[in-house]
Amino acid sequence: MTEPDDGLTAIMSERRQLINLAYRLLGSLAEAEDVVQETYARWYAMSRDEQDAIASPGAWLTKVAGRLCLNVLSSARTRRETYVGEWIPEPVPDSSEWRPADPADRVTLDESVSMAFLVVLDSMTPAERVAFILHDVFRYSFAEIAEVVGRTPAACRQLASSARRRVRDAQAPATPVSRQAQVVRDFKRAWEARDIEALLGLLAPDATAISDGGGLVSTVLHPVQGAERILSALARLEHRFRGHTLLERTVNGQPGLVAQEDGVTVSVYAFEIADEKIQRIWAVRNPEKLRAWTAS
């Protein structure tokens, strides 16, 4: 009987960690999968002697994946300039609703993948984002992070500190998940009943709604701010919602909604809720970002 290759087992066990890392760094499951695939391709392109000379394969994989993510993030700003409308991170469903071909491709859902958190991450510089995620979320040392971003450990500490301030400044007061779910449920019911007064009562006066169609489906191209303006926009677009069924789902670890048409998910809605009010609504309609929701 052939003895198991402990090195290969260790390498493959890192896959889920790398997917989780890359998704948090990039906000895109598709790009995260591409980065992890390229990371493994580089590992297997080495000779066995070269592989054996690496003391910690897991650390090597993380370093390569981190550098690849840094490259993707650095080019993302240029690519965003040609993106049609607003760009929203790719939403991921709860693992019970999402069954990728490889279970190691599942993203662990926690507060570090909430839509609000990912949006704040997207406002950071690439180096800030990498330093913060590697240190504060995955607990890598600044010495290890320095090897990824190509800066000194002290500089990486400053990057993480700057990123931490961004997160703290943007953080809304914590709302229990059970209460979030109730607000989202009330919003769903009010929208289905076209109860304008109830909807106004659920939205913060300065609430913001942002849609992402990527130029592939019709949607509002710019953020809509103010509860009354949001409801006016929804009223103008009401004909597009006919035939849609709203379902309560977990979106990036938080209570959210999906809209289905003929059983196919066509929109995913994430919410930021504070002080019993909906502060932000993110509507992802770009079909390329909904593949995890539409795959059978």
Side-chain angles (χ1 to χ4, degrees):
M1 181 179 296
T2 303
E3 291 296 319
D5 187 330
D6 291 338
L8 178 61
T9 300
I11 287 295
M12 295 310 296
S13 71
E14 294 288 333
R15 182 175 176 84
R16 178 170 293 183
Q17 166 104 342
L18 294 177
I19 286 286
N20 275 281
L21 170 65
Y23 175 73
R24 285 162 174 79
L25 288 178
L26 302 175
S28 166
L29 184 58
E31 290 183 342
E33 290 170 340
D34 288 345
V35 160
V36 173
Q37 183 174 344
E38 174 62 20
T39 299
Y40 278 102
R42 294 190 182 192
W43 171 264
Y44 289 115
M46 294 190 297
S47 68
R48 186 59 184 265
D49 287 342
E50 289 174 318
Q51 293 174 354
D52 289 342
I54 295 174
S56 174
W60 185 92
L61 290 169
T62 299
K63 184 190 301 184
V64 171
R67 286 175 175 171
L68 289 171
C69 286
L70 191 59
N71 292 337
V72 172
L73 287 170
S74 297
S75 64
R77 296 179 184 273
T78 300
R79 289 186 287 112
R80 300 276 177 81
E81 292 176 359
T82 62
Y83 194 83
V84 179
E86 296 292 316
W87 188 93
I88 299 175
E90 182 179 336
V92 290
D94 181 78
S95 59
S96 65
E97 299 154 10
W98 169 41
R99 296 176 177 82
D102 187 342
D105 285 346
R106 290 179 179 169
V107 173
T108 302
L109 301 181
D110 57 33
E111 65 278 1
S112 70
V113 295
S114 72
M115 191 61 72
F117 192 86
L118 291 177
V119 168
V120 175
L121 291 178
D122 200 52
S123 70
M124 299 177 184
T125 67
E128 279 181 328
R129 187 167 182 167
V130 171
F132 175 72
I133 289 295
L134 283 174
H135 183 266
D136 284 44
V137 177
F138 288 90
R139 303 304 178 187
Y140 284 89
S141 71
F142 288 117
E144 294 170 309
I145 297 168
E147 295 185 28
V148 175
V149 300
R151 305 195 186 187
T152 66
C156 292
R157 184 184 298 276
Q158 288 299 316
L159 287 169
S161 178
S162 174
R164 202 174 298 119
R165 284 195 298 272
R166 289 180 187 252
V167 172
R168 186 169 55 247
D169 292 344
Q171 205 165 36
T175 300
V177 173
S178 60
R179 184 54 194 153
Q180 292 182 49
Q182 186 60 56
V183 172
V184 170
R185 185 172 300 120
D186 290 343
F187 180 86
K188 171 181 178 291
R189 290 172 178 168
W191 173 246
E192 290 172 334
R194 301 303 188 264
D195 187 337
I196 302 302
E197 290 302 315
L199 288 168
L200 278 173
L202 291 165
L203 292 167
D206 60 348
T208 302
I210 302 173
S211 298
D212 178 348
L216 301 178
V217 296
S218 59
T219 190
V220 178
L221 294 179
H222 304 289
V224 179
Q225 188 160 16
E228 294 187 356
R229 292 185 64 193
I230 291 173
L231 294 182
S232 295
L234 288 174
R236 290 195 302 273
L237 300 173
E238 183 177 0
H239 64 283
R240 297 182 187 172
F241 303 124
R242 292 172 187 163
H244 287 190
T245 301
L246 279 180
L247 302 171
E248 296 176 44
R249 291 290 186 268
T250 297
V251 180
N252 286 64
Q254 304 289 324
L257 298 172
V258 303
Q260 292 188 343
E261 186 172 9
D262 297 326
V264 177
T265 297
V266 293
S267 301
V268 173
Y269 301 93
F271 299 83
E272 182 177 51
I273 297 167
D275 299 325
E276 306 289 316
K277 301 287 186 181
I278 296 171
Q279 308 290 330
R280 288 180 180 81
I281 303 173
W282 293 281
V284 181
R285 302 197 66 234
N286 183 343
E288 292 185 348
K289 294 185 177 183
L290 299 180
R291 286 179 292 182
W293 301 81
T294 57
S296 57

